[in-house]
């Protein structure tokens, strides 16, 4: 199940992450995701507003769409995953991150999505939800 979500995100590498700031929704593109310990993980800087939004309200949702009109929505609760091993895994998974982050820089954060579920949609089929 996790593999299906990761494959869809790999085939459609820009996804949009939604958070809340006060009573205002905020959406922005992300391009990095990986699996670690059975969880979807992604990264950001602890200096960005998205970091503050997720620490104040850890409920998030992400969405991406394929060229053929299918899409997935993934929701869950974010938690920070500490440690340099997970940061190194992220840098190894997506070397382009090295242009923004490094181990020990004090800003590189990895998040895991807990209590996650993914719902796949298309215009031709009924939605299908899987627990991650």
């Amino acid at each position: 199940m996790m593999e299906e979500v990761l494959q869809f995100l790999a085939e459609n590498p820009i996804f949009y992450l939604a958070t809340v700031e006060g009573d205002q929704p905020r959406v922005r593109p992300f391009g990095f995701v990986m699996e670690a310990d059975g969880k979807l993980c992604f990264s950001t800087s602890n200096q960005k507003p998205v970091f503050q939004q997720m620490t104040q309200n850890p409920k998030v949702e992400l969405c991406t769409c394929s060229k053929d009109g299918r899409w997935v929505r993934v929701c869950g609760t974010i938690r920070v995953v500490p440690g340099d091993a997970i940061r190194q895994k992220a840098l190894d998974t997506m070397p382009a991150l090295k242009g923004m982050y490094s181990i020990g820089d004090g800003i590189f954060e990895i998040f895991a999505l807990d209590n996650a579920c993914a719902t796949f949609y298309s215009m031709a089929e009924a939605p299908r939800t899987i627990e991650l």
Side-chain angles (χ1 to χ4, degrees):
M1 294 185 202
M2 173 70 72
E3 296 80 22
E4 183 180 4
V5 174
L6 283 168
Q7 180 178 344
F8 195 87
L9 291 169
E11 292 170 356
N12 305 284
I14 302 300
F15 60 91
Y16 294 87
L17 180 75
T19 59
V20 176
E21 183 176 55
D23 66 350
Q24 179 65 45
R26 301 289 184 199
V27 180
R28 82 280 297 147
F30 269 64
F32 167 73
V33 66
M34 69 178 185
E35 181 274 332
D37 297 324
K39 305 287 183 180
L40 286 177
C41 296
F42 56 97
S43 67
T44 193
S45 165
N46 60 24
Q47 303 300 300
K48 293 182 179 180
V50 67
F51 180 84
Q52 311 310 323
Q53 293 156 12
M54 289 189 296
T55 55
Q56 290 175 11
N57 181 349
K59 293 180 180 179
V60 300
E61 186 165 281
L62 64 89
C63 183
T64 193
C65 184
S66 67
K67 291 180 182 178
D68 66 1
R70 296 175 299 125
W71 68 99
V72 66
R73 291 171 52 190
V74 182
C75 64
T77 304
I78 288 295
R79 70 177 158 82
V80 174
V81 181
D84 290 342
I86 190 90
R87 289 181 183 96
Q88 188 60 56
K89 181 176 181 175
L91 295 172
D92 294 343
T93 301
M94 185 176 218
L97 289 174
K98 293 175 185 174
M100 297 180 286
Y101 306 117
S102 62
I103 303 297
D105 65 9
I107 64 169
F108 186 22
E109 302 287 353
I110 304 294
F111 289 90
L113 197 57
D114 290 329
N115 306 311
C117 69
T119 304
F120 289 90
Y121 299 88
S122 80
M123 298 299 247
E125 299 173 10
R128 179 173 54 87
T129 300
I130 57 177
E131 302 294 322
L132 300 177

